[in-house]
Amino acid sequence: MTPSRFGATYGRARVQPRSTARSCTSTTSPSAQHRTGQAARRSGSGGATPAALARTGHLYDGWLPYPPDPADYQAGLADVRQAATDGGRDPETITPALFATLLITDDADDGRQALEEYSRINYGLPLEVLETIQTLIAGPRAHVTSQLDRYIAAGARHIVCRIAALDLTSQLDQLEQIAELIKTTS
């Protein structure tokens, strides 16, 4: 499939690049929605507590977590689907997605150093802390592909990519590289 500005198919998953130049908020809490008058929540994100996973299975049309390990993703998705079944819903009506921070580099060590800088500037955390919280993938195209494939095997069907580049020129370069990655794997 040809990539478009709205994403493209990668393996069995749909990829939607997001840059750090724009804020990307997946959802807000139900209580915050109540206070702000927002419409019903459509996608559960992040939370891996039993209550959050059950709430996703009972109420939402999608799940958009960012776990650092595909095994955690797979286990969370199983819990979401079980909660949907327990609530009388077809678990296949919940779209499993992944929010991943990506950086394609020629060298794995360079990618790791760039992620360290990105982590400290954007989160004020060292990379070793941030990578225990969320999905971060950097390195040569083959490495990025193999890591994304692990999440697809764990059940992800949509991938939202946050680009771990700090300036607009680098972000545009990364968008081109991600588009090329999609073309070569579709």
Side-chain angles (χ1 to χ4, degrees):
M1 172 184 256
T2 304
S4 73
R5 68 186 194 120
F6 299 109
T9 301
Y10 169 85
R12 295 179 298 182
R14 182 119 174 102
V15 178
Q16 295 177 277
R18 301 276 186 220
S19 79
T20 56
R22 292 163 65 185
S23 173
C24 178
T25 311
S26 56
T27 58
T28 58
S29 70
S31 60
Q33 289 180 357
H34 176 73
R35 289 191 305 270
T36 61
Q38 292 177 339
R41 187 170 169 171
R42 301 291 293 174
S43 176
S45 69
T49 66
L53 296 170
R55 188 170 46 250
T56 300
H58 290 144
L59 300 174
Y60 307 140
D61 296 330
W63 185 52
L64 183 62
Y66 46 84
D69 187 301
D72 292 336
Y73 183 94
Q74 188 171 26
L77 181 57
D79 290 345
V80 166
R81 288 181 170 158
Q82 185 61 53
T85 300
D86 293 348
R89 296 183 62 203
D90 177 358
E92 296 302 314
T93 63
I94 301 169
T95 302
L98 173 71
F99 191 76
T101 300
L102 303 180
L103 186 66
I104 299 172
T105 60
D106 292 332
D107 179 76
D109 290 336
D110 289 346
R112 189 124 180 102
Q113 289 174 349
L115 276 182
E116 178 69 43
E117 181 181 14
Y118 175 85
S119 175
R120 289 187 183 276
I121 288 172
N122 284 288
Y123 295 96
L125 296 172
L127 178 59
E128 65 187 21
V129 173
L130 187 60
E131 65 191 356
T132 67
I133 301 168
Q134 60 181 252
T135 306
L136 298 145
I137 304 169
R141 185 176 296 158
H143 173 73
V144 172
T145 300
S146 70
Q147 294 304 304
L148 291 175
D149 285 346
R150 294 176 63 211
Y151 284 95
I152 292 168
R157 295 299 172 260
H158 289 261
I159 301 171
V160 177
C161 303
R162 176 181 23 222
I163 299 169
L166 297 171
D167 62 82
L168 185 57
T169 301
S170 298
Q171 291 170 3
L172 292 172
D173 176 62
Q174 285 295 306
L175 282 171
E176 290 177 10
Q177 291 193 55
I178 291 170
E180 188 60 34
L181 181 141
I182 293 166
K183 283 188 222 176
T184 60
T185 57
S186 298

